[in-house]
Amino acid sequence: MQIGILQSAGIAGKIIEHALNHPEHTDIFTPIIYSKENQNERNVSSDLKFGNISAVVVAPGSATELKFNGSMTVFVDEHIRVAAVMEEETEELTGEFLAERARKAWNCVKRDFYCSLPRIALLSSGNEQTDKELLAPVVAELNSNGVYVYGPYATEQFLSEGNHIHFDLTLAITKEQAQKVLTEVAEETYAKLQTALPIVVVQTGYSVTYDFDEGDLEKPAQALRNAVYTAMEVCRNREDYDQAHHDPLQKLYHERRDDSEKVRFSIPRPKTPSESEQ
């Protein structure tokens, strides 16, 4: 599998070199470095279009931070996956917006991580009235439509009791709340998947302004490897999911449904002799 790695000027090149010298990546993937030094920084789009690379990974230390309209950021760690309903301060929390974001998270876990029946935990907004009047009705509606979202859970209690291990994804209300969860549970080397896109784009948890110590590149190098492995996992899962759902078999018969369980499972009353003669 060929993975494109975006590198800009600065320490990113040293981090990439340190990461790729690790023996774990040998024969697993082929890195293609996009940088001004290689004079190919503008070829990413065309290589994705023609299938020359399977995914794009942004190296730590690069001055590039990718953001796409309509996408959703999912923070991926060995112990937890986290996403935020409101990633921007300008976004408004409404029932419709919450339901839309919850479905995106649900579809991400199904397709990107190949989980057939995902379980999503929704964290509390911190306001009891909002939880009761906005969050709870949306959760009930989603569950009635087969999108299994549970909560809202108080953040502190949720983390202290380790309840995140029972869910495939934790959905925070704000980006700050998601960062708090990551600080408590995740390692510093987590990856950031941009989901709900036709391409696979993964970044590391390091911001573009992070000040790296050139004498200790092991953590950012590990973060880059985790991002690459996440990209590879998502590529394979999407391929398997799409293949499995490409041409499903048609139903051989359609069951007649009745809302009344009493009607569906009632036993017919035996006929009396007089009724049989008629």
Side-chain angles (χ1 to χ4, degrees), residues 17-74:
E17 182 180 359
H18 189 79
L20 298 184
N21 283 336
H22 200 280
E24 287 185 4
H25 95 275
T26 307
D27 297 330
I28 298 177
F29 68 94
T30 302
I32 299 179
I33 312 300
Y34 295 89
S35 67
K36 291 183 179 179
E37 294 178 359
N38 295 343
Q39 297 182 349
N40 65 347
E41 75 277 8
R42 299 179 182 273
N43 298 336
V44 181
S45 298
S46 60
D47 282 352
L48 279 169
K49 179 179 179 180
F50 294 106
N52 297 329
I53 56 176
S54 301
V56 173
V57 173
V58 180
S62 295
T64 304
E65 190 161 7
L66 302 178
K67 182 66 178 177
F68 301 87
N69 292 331
S71 68
M72 185 176 195
T73 303
V74 177

Side-chain angles (χ1 to χ4, degrees), residues 1-7 12 15-22 24-34 53-60 76 112-113 189-194 200-205 219-237:
M1 182 178 293
Q2 294 183 317
I3 302 294
I5 301 179
L6 297 186
Q7 167 200 339
I15 295 175
I16 294 173
E17 182 180 359
H18 189 79
L20 298 184
N21 283 336
H22 200 280
E24 287 185 4
H25 95 275
T26 307
D27 297 330
I28 298 177
F29 68 94
T30 302
I32 299 179
I33 312 300
Y34 295 89
I53 56 176
S54 301
V56 173
V57 173
V58 180
V76 183
D112 294 348
F113 297 99
T189 55
Y190 63 83
K192 297 194 300 184
L193 168 67
Q194 295 292 325
V200 177
V201 178
V202 183
Q203 304 178 69
T204 66
K219 278 191 175 181
Q222 182 60 51
L224 177 57
R225 287 193 293 271
N226 289 346
V228 170
Y229 298 152
T230 298
M232 293 171 61
E233 178 188 4
V234 171
C235 286
R236 292 186 178 119
N237 287 341

Side-chain angles (χ1 to χ4, degrees), residues 13 20 32 39 48 57 65 79 103 119 144 148 150 180 199 208 269 278:
L20 298 184
I32 299 179
Q39 297 182 349
L48 279 169
V57 173
E65 190 161 7
H79 308 289
R103 289 191 181 94
R119 291 166 52 89
S144 66
Y148 300 113
Y150 301 87
K180 180 179 181 179
I199 61 175
V208 296
R269 178 179 61 85
Q278 295 176 359

